[in-house]
Every structure is written in C-alpha cells, then in structure tokens.
Coordinates of all heavy atoms in Angstrom, one line a residue:
M764 N 32.8 -39.3 44.4 CA 32.7 -38.3 43.3 C 33.3 -37.0 43.7 O 33.1 -36.5 44.8 CB 31.2 -38.0 43.0 CG 31.0 -37.4 41.6 SD 29.3 -36.9 41.4 CE 28.6 -38.5 41.0
T765 N 34.2 -36.4 42.9 CA 34.8 -35.1 43.2 C 33.8 -34.0 43.0 O 32.8 -34.1 42.3 CB 36.0 -34.9 42.3 OG1 35.6 -34.8 41.0 CG2 37.0 -36.0 42.4
D766 N 34.2 -32.9 43.6 CA 33.3 -31.7 43.5 C 33.1 -31.3 42.0 O 32.1 -30.9 41.6 CB 33.9 -30.5 44.3 CG 33.2 -30.5 45.7 OD1 32.4 -31.3 45.9 OD2 33.6 -29.6 46.4
K767 N 34.3 -31.3 41.3 CA 34.3 -30.9 40.0 C 33.3 -31.7 39.1 O 32.5 -31.2 38.3 CB 35.7 -31.0 39.4 CG 36.0 -29.9 38.4 CD 37.4 -29.9 38.0 CE 37.7 -28.8 37.1 NZ 39.1 -28.8 36.7
K768 N 33.4 -33.0 39.3 CA 32.5 -33.9 38.6 C 31.0 -33.6 38.9 O 30.2 -33.6 38.0 CB 32.8 -35.3 38.9 CG 33.6 -36.0 37.7 CD 33.7 -37.4 38.0 CE 34.7 -38.1 37.0 NZ 35.2 -39.3 37.5
H769 N 30.8 -33.4 40.2 CA 29.5 -33.1 40.6 C 28.9 -31.9 40.0 O 27.8 -31.8 39.5 CB 29.5 -33.0 42.2 CG 28.1 -32.9 42.8 ND1 27.2 -33.9 42.6 CD2 27.5 -31.9 43.5 CE1 26.1 -33.5 43.2 NE2 26.2 -32.4 43.8
Q770 N 29.7 -30.8 40.0 CA 29.3 -29.6 39.4 C 29.0 -29.8 37.9 O 28.0 -29.2 37.4 CB 30.4 -28.5 39.5 CG 30.3 -27.8 40.8 CD 31.5 -26.8 41.0 OE1 32.3 -26.6 40.1 NE2 31.5 -26.2 42.2
K771 N 29.8 -30.6 37.3 CA 29.5 -30.8 35.9 C 28.2 -31.5 35.7 O 27.4 -31.2 34.7 CB 30.6 -31.8 35.3 CG 31.1 -31.4 33.9 CD 32.3 -32.2 33.5 CE 32.8 -31.8 32.2 NZ 34.0 -32.6 31.8
K772 N 27.9 -32.4 36.6 CA 26.6 -33.1 36.5 C 25.5 -32.1 36.7 O 24.4 -32.2 35.9 CB 26.6 -34.2 37.6 CG 25.6 -35.3 37.2 CD 25.7 -36.4 38.2 CE 24.7 -37.5 37.9 NZ 24.7 -38.5 38.9
I773 N 25.6 -31.2 37.6 CA 24.5 -30.2 37.9 C 24.4 -29.4 36.6 O 23.3 -29.1 36.2 CB 24.9 -29.4 39.1 CG1 24.8 -30.2 40.4 CG2 24.0 -28.2 39.2 CD1 25.3 -29.5 41.6
K774 N 25.5 -29.0 36.1 CA 25.5 -28.1 34.9 C 24.7 -28.8 33.8 O 23.9 -28.2 33.1 CB 26.9 -27.8 34.5 CG 27.1 -26.4 33.9 CD 28.5 -26.2 33.7 CE 28.8 -24.8 33.0 NZ 30.2 -24.7 32.8
R775 N 25.0 -30.1 33.6 CA 24.4 -30.9 32.5 C 22.9 -31.0 32.8 O 22.1 -30.9 31.9 CB 25.1 -32.2 32.5 CG 25.0 -32.8 31.1 CD 25.7 -34.1 30.9 NE 27.1 -34.0 31.1 CZ 27.9 -35.0 31.6 NH1 27.3 -36.2 31.9 NH2 29.1 -34.9 31.7
A776 N 22.5 -31.2 34.0 CA 21.1 -31.3 34.3 C 20.4 -30.0 34.1 O 19.3 -30.0 33.5 CB 21.0 -31.7 35.8
K777 N 21.1 -28.9 34.4 CA 20.5 -27.6 34.1 C 20.3 -27.4 32.6 O 19.2 -26.9 32.2 CB 21.4 -26.5 34.6 CG 21.0 -26.0 36.0 CD 21.8 -24.8 36.3 CE 21.6 -24.3 37.8 NZ 22.6 -23.5 38.2
K778 N 21.3 -27.8 31.9 CA 21.2 -27.7 30.4 C 20.0 -28.5 29.8 O 19.3 -28.0 29.0 CB 22.5 -28.2 29.8 CG 22.8 -27.6 28.4 CD 24.1 -28.1 27.9 CE 24.2 -27.7 26.4 NZ 25.2 -28.5 25.8
K779 N 19.9 -29.7 30.4 CA 18.8 -30.5 29.9 C 17.5 -29.9 30.2 O 16.6 -29.9 29.3 CB 18.9 -31.9 30.7 CG 18.7 -33.1 29.7 CD 19.0 -34.3 30.5 CE 19.1 -35.5 29.5 NZ 19.4 -36.7 30.2
K780 N 17.3 -29.3 31.3 CA 16.1 -28.6 31.7 C 15.8 -27.5 30.7 O 14.7 -27.3 30.3 CB 16.2 -28.1 33.1 CG 14.9 -28.1 33.9 CD 15.2 -27.7 35.3 CE 13.9 -27.7 36.1 NZ 14.2 -27.3 37.5
K781 N 16.9 -26.8 30.4 CA 16.7 -25.6 29.5 C 16.3 -26.1 28.1 O 15.4 -25.6 27.5 CB 18.1 -24.9 29.4 CG 17.9 -23.5 29.0 CD 19.3 -22.8 29.0 CE 19.2 -21.5 28.4 NZ 20.6 -20.9 28.2
E782 N 16.9 -27.2 27.7 CA 16.6 -27.8 26.4 C 15.2 -28.2 26.3 O 14.5 -28.0 25.3 CB 17.5 -29.0 26.1 CG 18.8 -28.5 25.5 CD 19.8 -29.7 25.5 OE1 19.5 -30.8 25.8 OE2 21.0 -29.4 25.1
K783 N 14.7 -28.8 27.4 CA 13.3 -29.2 27.5 C 12.4 -28.0 27.4 O 11.4 -28.0 26.6 CB 13.1 -29.9 28.8 CG 12.0 -31.0 28.7 CD 11.9 -31.8 30.0 CE 10.8 -32.7 30.0 NZ 10.6 -33.4 31.3
A784 N 12.7 -27.0 28.1 CA 11.9 -25.8 28.0 C 11.9 -25.2 26.6 O 10.9 -24.7 26.1 CB 12.5 -24.7 29.0
Q785 N 13.0 -25.2 26.0 CA 13.1 -24.7 24.6 C 12.3 -25.5 23.7 O 11.6 -25.0 22.8 CB 14.6 -24.7 24.2 CG 15.3 -23.4 24.7 CD 16.8 -23.4 24.4 OE1 17.3 -24.5 24.0 NE2 17.4 -22.3 24.5
A786 N 12.3 -26.8 23.9 CA 11.6 -27.7 23.0 C 10.1 -27.4 23.2 O 9.3 -27.4 22.2 CB 11.9 -29.1 23.3
Q787 N 9.7 -27.2 24.4 CA 8.3 -26.9 24.7 C 7.9 -25.6 24.0 O 6.8 -25.5 23.4 CB 8.1 -26.8 26.2 CG 6.7 -26.6 26.7 CD 6.0 -27.9 26.9 OE1 6.6 -28.8 27.4 NE2 4.8 -28.1 26.4
E788 N 8.8 -24.6 24.1 CA 8.5 -23.3 23.5 C 8.4 -23.4 22.0 O 7.5 -22.9 21.4 CB 9.7 -22.4 23.9 CG 9.3 -20.9 24.0 CD 10.4 -20.1 24.4 OE1 10.7 -20.2 25.6 OE2 11.0 -19.4 23.6
A789 N 9.3 -24.2 21.4 CA 9.2 -24.4 20.0 C 7.9 -25.1 19.6 O 7.3 -24.7 18.6 CB 10.4 -25.3 19.6
Q790 N 7.5 -26.0 20.4 CA 6.2 -26.7 20.1 C 5.0 -25.7 20.2 O 4.1 -25.7 19.4 CB 6.0 -27.8 21.1 CG 4.9 -28.8 20.7 CD 5.3 -30.2 20.9 OE1 6.0 -30.5 21.9 NE2 4.9 -31.1 20.1
N791 N 5.1 -24.9 21.2 CA 4.0 -23.9 21.4 C 4.0 -23.0 20.2 O 2.9 -22.6 19.7 CB 4.2 -23.1 22.7 CG 3.8 -23.9 23.9 OD1 3.1 -24.9 23.8 ND2 4.3 -23.5 25.0
K792 N 5.1 -22.6 19.8 CA 5.3 -21.7 18.6 C 4.7 -22.3 17.4 O 4.0 -21.7 16.6 CB 6.8 -21.4 18.4 CG 7.0 -19.9 18.1 CD 8.5 -19.7 18.1 CE 8.9 -18.5 17.4 NZ 10.4 -18.4 17.4
L793 N 5.1 -23.6 17.2 CA 4.6 -24.4 16.1 C 3.1 -24.5 16.1 O 2.4 -24.3 15.1 CB 5.2 -25.8 16.1 CG 5.1 -26.5 14.8 CD1 6.1 -25.9 13.8 CD2 5.6 -28.0 15.0
K794 N 2.5 -24.7 17.3 CA 1.1 -24.8 17.4 C 0.4 -23.5 17.0 O -0.6 -23.5 16.3 CB 0.7 -25.1 18.9 CG 0.4 -26.6 19.1 CD -0.1 -26.7 20.5 CE 0.0 -28.2 21.0 NZ -0.1 -28.3 22.4
K795 N 1.0 -22.4 17.4 CA 0.5 -21.1 17.0 C 0.6 -21.0 15.5 O -0.3 -20.5 14.9 CB 1.4 -20.0 17.7 CG 0.5 -19.2 18.6 CD 1.4 -18.1 19.2 CE 0.9 -17.6 20.5 NZ 1.9 -16.7 21.2
Q796 N 1.7 -21.4 15.0 CA 1.9 -21.2 13.5 C 0.9 -22.1 12.8 O 0.4 -21.7 11.7 CB 3.3 -21.6 13.2 CG 4.3 -20.5 13.6 CD 5.7 -20.8 13.1 OE1 5.9 -21.8 12.4 NE2 6.6 -19.9 13.3
M797 N 0.6 -23.3 13.3 CA -0.3 -24.2 12.6 C -1.7 -23.5 12.5 O -2.4 -23.6 11.5 CB -0.4 -25.5 13.4 CG 0.8 -26.3 13.4 SD 1.3 -26.8 11.7 CE 0.6 -28.5 11.7
G798 N -2.0 -22.8 13.6 CA -3.3 -22.0 13.6 C -3.3 -21.0 12.5 O -4.3 -20.5 12.1
M799 N -2.1 -20.6 12.1 CA -2.0 -19.5 11.1 C -2.0 -20.1 9.7 O -2.0 -19.3 8.7 CB -0.7 -18.7 11.3 CG -0.4 -18.2 12.7 SD -1.4 -16.8 13.1 CE -0.7 -15.7 11.8
F800 N -1.9 -21.4 9.6 CA -1.8 -21.9 8.3 C -2.9 -21.7 7.3 O -2.8 -21.7 6.1 CB -1.5 -23.4 8.4 CG 0.0 -23.7 8.4 CD1 0.5 -25.0 8.6 CD2 0.9 -22.7 8.3 CE1 1.8 -25.3 8.6 CE2 2.3 -22.9 8.4 CZ 2.7 -24.2 8.5
D801 N -4.1 -21.5 7.9 CA -5.2 -21.2 7.0 C -5.1 -19.8 6.4 O -5.8 -19.4 5.5 CB -6.6 -21.3 7.8 CG -6.6 -20.4 9.1 OD1 -5.5 -20.1 9.6 OD2 -7.7 -20.0 9.5
K802 N -4.1 -19.0 7.0 CA -3.8 -17.7 6.5 C -2.7 -17.7 5.5 O -2.2 -16.7 5.0 CB -3.5 -16.7 7.6 CG -4.7 -16.4 8.5 CD -4.3 -15.3 9.5 CE -5.5 -14.9 10.3 NZ -6.0 -16.0 11.2
L803 N -2.1 -18.9 5.3 CA -1.0 -19.1 4.4 C -1.4 -18.6 3.0 O -2.3 -19.1 2.4 CB -0.5 -20.5 4.4 CG 0.8 -20.8 3.6 CD1 1.9 -20.2 4.4 CD2 1.0 -22.3 3.5
P804 N -0.6 -17.7 2.4 CA -0.9 -17.2 1.1 C -0.6 -18.3 0.1 O 0.2 -19.2 0.3 CB 0.0 -16.0 0.9 CG 0.9 -15.9 2.1 CD 0.5 -17.0 3.0
E805 N -1.3 -18.2 -1.1 CA -1.1 -19.3 -2.1 C -0.1 -18.8 -3.1 O 0.2 -19.6 -4.1 CB -2.4 -19.7 -2.7 CG -3.2 -20.4 -1.7 CD -4.6 -20.9 -2.3 OE1 -4.9 -20.4 -3.4 OE2 -5.3 -21.7 -1.6
V806 N 0.3 -17.6 -3.0 CA 1.3 -17.1 -4.0 C 2.5 -16.4 -3.2 O 2.3 -16.1 -2.0 CB 0.7 -16.1 -4.9 CG1 -0.3 -16.7 -5.8 CG2 0.1 -14.9 -4.2
C807 N 3.6 -16.2 -3.9 CA 4.7 -15.5 -3.3 C 4.3 -14.1 -2.9 O 3.6 -13.4 -3.7 CB 5.9 -15.5 -4.3 SG 7.2 -14.4 -3.7
S808 N 4.7 -13.7 -1.7 CA 4.2 -12.4 -1.2 C 4.9 -11.2 -2.0 O 4.5 -10.1 -1.9 CB 4.6 -12.2 0.3 OG 3.9 -13.2 1.0
T809 N 6.0 -11.6 -2.7 CA 6.7 -10.5 -3.5 C 6.4 -10.5 -5.0 O 5.9 -9.5 -5.5 CB 8.2 -10.7 -3.3 OG1 8.5 -10.8 -1.9 CG2 9.0 -9.6 -3.8
C810 N 6.5 -11.7 -5.6 CA 6.3 -11.7 -7.1 C 5.0 -12.4 -7.5 O 4.7 -12.5 -8.7 CB 7.5 -12.4 -7.7 SG 7.6 -14.1 -7.5
E811 N 4.3 -12.9 -6.5 CA 3.0 -13.5 -6.8 C 3.0 -14.8 -7.6 O 2.1 -15.1 -8.3 CB 2.0 -12.5 -7.4 CG 1.7 -11.3 -6.4 CD 0.5 -10.5 -6.8 OE1 0.3 -10.4 -8.1 OE2 -0.1 -9.9 -6.0
A812 N 4.2 -15.4 -7.6 CA 4.3 -16.7 -8.2 C 3.5 -17.7 -7.5 O 3.4 -17.7 -6.2 CB 5.8 -17.1 -8.3
D813 N 2.9 -18.6 -8.2 CA 2.1 -19.7 -7.5 C 2.9 -20.6 -6.6 O 4.0 -20.9 -7.0 CB 1.4 -20.5 -8.5 CG 0.1 -19.9 -9.1 OD1 -0.5 -19.1 -8.3 OD2 -0.2 -20.1 -10.2
F814 N 2.4 -20.8 -5.4 CA 3.1 -21.8 -4.5 C 2.7 -23.2 -4.9 O 1.6 -23.6 -4.7 CB 2.7 -21.4 -3.1 CG 3.3 -22.4 -2.1 CD1 4.7 -22.6 -2.0 CD2 2.5 -23.0 -1.2 CE1 5.2 -23.5 -1.1 CE2 3.0 -23.9 -0.2 CZ 4.3 -24.1 -0.2
P815 N 3.6 -24.0 -5.4 CA 3.3 -25.3 -5.8 C 3.2 -26.2 -4.5 O 4.1 -26.1 -3.7 CB 4.5 -25.8 -6.6 CG 5.5 -24.8 -6.5 CD 5.0 -23.7 -5.7
K816 N 2.1 -26.8 -4.3 CA 1.9 -27.6 -3.0 C 2.7 -28.9 -3.1 O 2.1 -30.0 -2.9 CB 0.5 -27.7 -2.7 CG -0.2 -26.4 -2.3 CD -1.5 -26.6 -1.7 CE -2.0 -25.3 -1.1 NZ -2.3 -24.3 -2.1
T817 N 3.9 -28.8 -3.3 CA 4.8 -30.0 -3.3 C 5.7 -30.1 -2.1 O 5.9 -29.0 -1.5 CB 5.6 -30.1 -4.6 OG1 6.5 -28.9 -4.6 CG2 4.8 -30.1 -5.9
R818 N 6.2 -31.2 -1.9 CA 7.2 -31.4 -0.8 C 8.4 -30.5 -1.0 O 8.9 -29.9 -0.1 CB 7.6 -32.9 -0.7 CG 8.2 -33.2 0.6 CD 8.7 -34.6 0.5 NE 9.8 -34.9 1.5 CZ 9.5 -35.2 2.7 NH1 8.3 -35.5 3.1 NH2 10.5 -35.4 3.5
E819 N 8.8 -30.5 -2.2 CA 10.0 -29.7 -2.5 C 9.8 -28.2 -2.3 O 10.6 -27.5 -1.7 CB 10.4 -29.9 -4.0 CG 11.9 -29.5 -4.3 CD 12.1 -29.3 -5.7 OE1 11.4 -29.8 -6.6 OE2 13.1 -28.7 -6.0
A820 N 8.6 -27.7 -2.7 CA 8.3 -26.3 -2.4 C 8.2 -26.0 -1.0 O 8.7 -24.9 -0.5 CB 6.9 -26.0 -3.1
H821 N 7.7 -26.9 -0.2 CA 7.7 -26.7 1.3 C 9.1 -26.6 1.8 O 9.3 -25.9 2.8 CB 7.0 -27.9 2.0 CG 5.5 -27.7 2.0 ND1 4.8 -26.9 2.9 CD2 4.5 -28.2 1.2 CE1 3.5 -26.9 2.7 NE2 3.3 -27.7 1.6
M822 N 10.1 -27.3 1.2 CA 11.4 -27.2 1.7 C 12.1 -25.9 1.2 O 13.0 -25.4 1.9 CB 12.2 -28.4 1.1 CG 11.7 -29.8 1.4 SD 11.9 -30.2 3.2 CE 13.6 -30.5 3.2
T823 N 11.7 -25.4 0.1 CA 12.5 -24.3 -0.5 C 11.8 -22.9 -0.3 O 12.5 -21.9 -0.2 CB 12.7 -24.5 -2.0 OG1 11.5 -24.8 -2.6 CG2 13.7 -25.7 -2.3
W824 N 10.5 -22.9 -0.2 CA 9.8 -21.7 0.0 C 10.0 -21.3 1.4 O 10.0 -22.2 2.3 CB 8.4 -21.7 -0.4 CG 8.2 -21.8 -1.9 CD1 8.8 -22.6 -2.8 CD2 7.4 -20.9 -2.7 NE1 8.4 -22.3 -4.1 CE2 7.5 -21.2 -4.0 CE3 6.5 -19.8 -2.3 CZ2 6.8 -20.6 -5.0 CZ3 5.8 -19.2 -3.3 CH2 6.0 -19.5 -4.7
R825 N 10.0 -20.0 1.7 CA 10.1 -19.6 3.1 C 8.8 -19.0 3.6 O 8.2 -18.1 2.9 CB 11.3 -18.5 3.1 CG 11.6 -18.2 4.5 CD 13.1 -17.7 4.6 NE 13.2 -17.1 5.9 CZ 13.8 -16.0 6.1 NH1 14.3 -15.3 5.1 NH2 13.9 -15.5 7.3
V826 N 8.5 -19.4 4.7 CA 7.3 -18.9 5.4 C 7.7 -18.0 6.6 O 8.5 -18.4 7.4 CB 6.3 -20.0 5.9 CG1 5.1 -19.5 6.5 CG2 6.0 -21.0 4.8
V827 N 7.2 -16.8 6.6 CA 7.5 -15.9 7.7 C 6.2 -15.6 8.4 O 5.2 -15.1 7.8 CB 8.2 -14.6 7.2 CG1 8.4 -13.7 8.4 CG2 9.5 -14.9 6.5
V828 N 6.1 -16.0 9.7 CA 4.9 -15.8 10.4 C 5.1 -14.7 11.5 O 6.1 -14.7 12.2 CB 4.4 -17.1 11.1 CG1 3.1 -16.9 11.8 CG2 4.4 -18.2 10.1
K829 N 4.2 -13.8 11.5 CA 4.2 -12.8 12.6 C 2.9 -12.9 13.3 O 1.9 -12.2 13.0 CB 4.3 -11.3 12.0 CG 5.6 -11.0 11.4 CD 6.5 -10.2 12.4 CE 7.9 -10.3 12.1 NZ 8.3 -9.5 10.9
P830 N 2.8 -13.8 14.3 CA 1.6 -14.0 15.0 C 1.0 -12.8 15.6 O -0.2 -12.6 15.7 CB 2.0 -15.0 16.1 CG 3.3 -15.6 15.7 CD 4.0 -14.5 14.9
E831 N 1.8 -11.9 16.1 CA 1.3 -10.6 16.7 C 0.5 -9.8 15.7 O -0.4 -9.0 16.1 CB 2.4 -9.9 17.4 CG 3.4 -9.2 16.5 CD 4.6 -10.2 16.2 OE1 4.4 -11.4 16.4 OE2 5.6 -9.7 15.8
K832 N 0.9 -10.0 14.4 CA 0.2 -9.2 13.4 C -0.8 -10.1 12.6 O -1.4 -9.6 11.7 CB 1.2 -8.6 12.4 CG 1.9 -7.4 13.0 CD 2.8 -6.7 12.0 CE 3.6 -5.6 12.6 NZ 4.7 -5.2 11.9
E833 N -0.8 -11.4 13.0 CA -1.7 -12.3 12.3 C -1.4 -12.3 10.8 O -2.4 -12.2 10.0 CB -3.2 -12.1 12.7 CG -3.5 -12.4 14.1 CD -4.9 -12.8 14.3 OE1 -5.7 -12.8 13.3 OE2 -5.3 -13.1 15.4
K834 N -0.2 -12.3 10.5 CA 0.2 -12.2 9.1 C 1.2 -13.2 8.7 O 2.1 -13.6 9.5 CB 0.7 -10.8 8.8 CG 0.8 -10.5 7.3 CD 0.4 -9.0 7.0 CE 0.7 -8.7 5.6 NZ 0.0 -9.4 4.6
V835 N 1.0 -13.8 7.5 CA 1.9 -14.8 7.0 C 2.5 -14.4 5.7 O 1.7 -14.0 4.8 CB 1.2 -16.2 6.9 CG1 2.2 -17.2 6.5 CG2 0.6 -16.5 8.2
W836 N 3.7 -14.4 5.5 CA 4.3 -14.1 4.2 C 4.9 -15.4 3.7 O 5.4 -16.3 4.4 CB 5.5 -13.1 4.4 CG 5.0 -11.7 4.7 CD1 4.6 -10.7 3.8 CD2 4.8 -11.1 5.9 NE1 4.3 -9.6 4.4 CE2 4.4 -9.8 5.8 CE3 5.0 -11.6 7.2 CZ2 4.1 -8.9 6.8 CZ3 4.8 -10.7 8.3 CH2 4.3 -9.4 8.1
L837 N 4.9 -15.4 2.4 CA 5.5 -16.6 1.7 C 6.5 -16.1 0.6 O 6.1 -15.1 -0.1 CB 4.3 -17.3 1.0 CG 4.5 -18.7 0.5 CD1 4.9 -19.6 1.6 CD2 3.3 -19.3 -0.1
F838 N 7.7 -16.6 0.6 CA 8.7 -16.2 -0.3 C 9.2 -17.3 -1.2 O 9.6 -18.3 -0.6 CB 9.8 -15.5 0.4 CG 9.4 -14.3 1.2 CD1 9.3 -14.3 2.5 CD2 9.1 -13.1 0.5 CE1 8.9 -13.2 3.3 CE2 8.7 -12.0 1.2 CZ 8.6 -12.0 2.6
C839 N 9.1 -17.2 -2.5 CA 9.6 -18.2 -3.4 C 11.2 -18.2 -3.4 O 11.8 -17.2 -2.9 CB 9.1 -18.0 -4.8 SG 9.8 -16.6 -5.6
P840 N 11.8 -19.2 -3.8 CA 13.3 -19.3 -3.8 C 13.9 -18.1 -4.5 O 14.9 -17.6 -4.1 CB 13.6 -20.6 -4.5 CG 12.4 -21.5 -4.3 CD 11.2 -20.5 -4.3
D841 N 13.3 -17.7 -5.7 CA 13.8 -16.6 -6.4 C 13.9 -15.3 -5.6 O 14.9 -14.6 -5.6 CB 13.0 -16.4 -7.7 CG 13.3 -17.4 -8.7 OD1 14.3 -18.1 -8.6 OD2 12.5 -17.5 -9.7
C842 N 12.8 -15.0 -4.9 CA 12.7 -13.8 -4.1 C 13.6 -13.9 -2.9 O 14.2 -12.9 -2.5 CB 11.3 -13.6 -3.7 SG 10.2 -13.0 -5.1
Q843 N 13.8 -15.1 -2.4 CA 14.8 -15.2 -1.3 C 16.1 -14.9 -1.8 O 16.9 -14.2 -1.1 CB 14.8 -16.7 -0.8 CG 13.6 -17.0 0.0 CD 13.6 -18.5 0.4 OE1 14.6 -19.0 1.0 NE2 12.6 -19.2 0.1
E844 N 16.5 -15.3 -3.0 CA 17.8 -15.1 -3.6 C 17.9 -13.6 -3.8 O 19.0 -13.0 -3.5 CB 17.9 -15.9 -4.9 CG 19.3 -16.0 -5.4 CD 20.2 -16.8 -4.4 OE1 19.7 -17.7 -3.8 OE2 21.4 -16.4 -4.4
N845 N 16.9 -13.0 -4.3 CA 16.9 -11.5 -4.6 C 17.1 -10.7 -3.3 O 17.9 -9.8 -3.2 CB 15.6 -11.1 -5.3 CG 15.6 -11.5 -6.7 OD1 16.7 -11.8 -7.3 ND2 14.5 -11.5 -7.3
A846 N 16.4 -11.2 -2.3 CA 16.5 -10.5 -1.0 C 17.9 -10.6 -0.4 O 18.4 -9.6 0.2 CB 15.5 -11.1 0.0
K847 N 18.5 -11.8 -0.6 CA 19.8 -12.0 -0.1 C 20.8 -11.1 -0.8 O 21.7 -10.5 -0.2 CB 20.2 -13.5 -0.4 CG 20.9 -14.1 0.8 CD 20.9 -15.6 0.8 CE 21.9 -16.2 -0.1 NZ 21.7 -17.7 -0.3
K848 N 20.6 -11.0 -2.1 CA 21.5 -10.1 -2.9 C 21.3 -8.7 -2.5 O 22.3 -7.9 -2.4 CB 21.1 -10.2 -4.4 CG 21.8 -11.4 -5.1 CD 21.6 -11.4 -6.5 CE 21.9 -12.8 -7.2 NZ 21.0 -13.0 -8.3
L849 N 20.1 -8.3 -2.2 CA 19.8 -6.9 -1.8 C 20.6 -6.6 -0.5 O 21.2 -5.5 -0.3 CB 18.3 -6.8 -1.6 CG 17.7 -5.4 -1.9 CD1 17.8 -5.2 -3.4 CD2 16.3 -5.3 -1.5
V850 N 20.5 -7.6 0.5 CA 21.1 -7.4 1.7 C 22.6 -7.3 1.6 O 23.3 -6.4 2.2 CB 20.8 -8.5 2.7 CG1 21.6 -8.5 3.9 CG2 19.3 -8.5 3.1
E851 N 23.2 -8.1 0.7 CA 24.6 -8.1 0.4 C 25.0 -6.8 -0.1 O 26.1 -6.2 0.2 CB 25.0 -9.3 -0.5 CG 25.2 -10.6 0.2 CD 25.2 -11.8 -0.7 OE1 25.4 -11.6 -1.9 OE2 25.1 -12.9 -0.2
K852 N 24.2 -6.3 -1.0 CA 24.5 -5.0 -1.6 C 24.5 -3.9 -0.6 O 25.4 -3.0 -0.6 CB 23.4 -4.7 -2.7 CG 24.0 -4.3 -4.0 CD 22.9 -3.9 -5.0 CE 23.3 -4.3 -6.4 NZ 22.2 -4.2 -7.3
Q853 N 23.5 -4.0 0.3 CA 23.4 -2.9 1.4 C 24.7 -3.0 2.3 O 25.1 -2.0 2.8 CB 22.2 -3.2 2.2 CG 21.0 -2.6 1.5 CD 19.7 -2.9 2.2 OE1 19.6 -3.8 3.0 NE2 18.6 -2.2 1.8
N854 N 25.1 -4.2 2.5 CA 26.3 -4.4 3.3 C 27.6 -3.9 2.7 O 28.5 -3.5 3.4 CB 26.5 -5.9 3.7 CG 25.4 -6.4 4.7 OD1 24.8 -5.5 5.3 ND2 25.3 -7.7 4.8
E855 N 27.6 -3.9 1.4 CA 28.8 -3.4 0.7 C 28.9 -1.9 0.8 O 30.0 -1.4 0.9 CB 28.6 -3.7 -0.8 CG 29.2 -5.1 -1.2 CD 28.9 -5.4 -2.6 OE1 28.8 -4.5 -3.4 OE2 28.8 -6.6 -2.9
V856 N 27.8 -1.2 0.9 CA 27.8 0.3 0.9 C 28.4 0.7 2.3 O 28.0 0.2 3.3 CB 26.4 0.9 0.7 CG1 26.5 2.4 0.9 CG2 25.9 0.5 -0.6
Ligands
ZN755 ZN1 8.7 -14.6 -5.5

C-alpha cells in the first residue's frame, strides 16, 4: 500500500468517526425534542391556524424547538411563506 492510499484510508476512517458522532448528536437532540413534544402547540404560533394532525401537516408545518428556553413554535405553510417573503424583502433593501 502506498503512503497516499494509506492516508486516504485514515482520512476516511476519521470521517466515519465524525459521522457517527454527528448521528449520535442528532439522536440526542431528537430525544430532547421528543421530550418537548408535549409542549407542541396545537395552532400556528403566528396566525393561530389549527394544526391538522395529519401526515401531510407534519411534513409541511415547521416546528422550531428552543430547548434552552423550553419553547416550541409551530408555523403553518402560509406563515412560512410569509416569513420567507419578509426575509426576501429585507434582503432587497
Ligand atoms: Zn400560520
């Protein structure tokens, strides 16, 4: 095996280790978030639209969790769109 190849292998092993650590971190984060789910609001945090407990809603609504503040926000697709527009507008200025 050449040195170059060997180095590549080490690099790859390091990357794998990092990926594993990241996966672990993500899982811990998820666990924390799961604990926050009882705090999940039932309406949009902006327009107070009802959150439909459907699979589609889970895919389209956005959940923002701030564990340090023990707060969960829920944003309906409309409000996400509005927020996006607002940001775009701010960027234009
Ligand atoms: Zn909304």
Side-chain angles (χ1 to χ4, degrees):
M764 197 186 282
T765 63
D766 264 1
K767 215 173 179 181
K768 254 189 191 160
H769 187 59
Q770 274 178 3
K771 218 174 184 179
K772 202 173 178 185
I773 290 175
K774 217 173 174 182
R775 209 177 291 153
K777 260 188 190 164
K778 202 179 166 196
K779 224 173 193 177
K780 214 172 179 181
K781 205 175 166 190
E782 274 167 9
K783 209 173 173 185
Q785 277 174 344
Q787 186 88 43
E788 209 174 287
Q790 192 139 35
N791 284 343
K792 221 170 163 185
L793 195 70
K794 258 188 201 161
K795 241 184 205 169
Q796 287 188 357
M797 292 299 262
M799 307 284 299
F800 268 178
D801 55 336
K802 292 186 175 67
L803 189 69
E805 288 180 350
V806 295
C807 171
S808 300
T809 309
C810 70
E811 297 192 333
D813 279 332
F814 175 55
K816 289 196 171 66
T817 60
R818 197 186 155 88
E819 201 198 339
H821 275 278
M822 303 288 289
T823 51
W824 286 54
R825 190 155 166 225
V826 181
V827 177
V828 184
K829 288 261 161 73
E831 67 272 21
K832 284 186 183 161
E833 290 205 1
K834 192 140 170 66
V835 185
W836 289 271
L837 195 60
F838 297 106
C839 72
D841 284 345
C842 288
Q843 286 176 53
E844 197 59 38
N845 286 341
K847 223 160 82 186
K848 274 185 198 152
L849 213 70
V850 170
E851 275 166 16
K852 229 182 213 169
Q853 279 173 347
N854 285 344
E855 271 172 28
V856 176

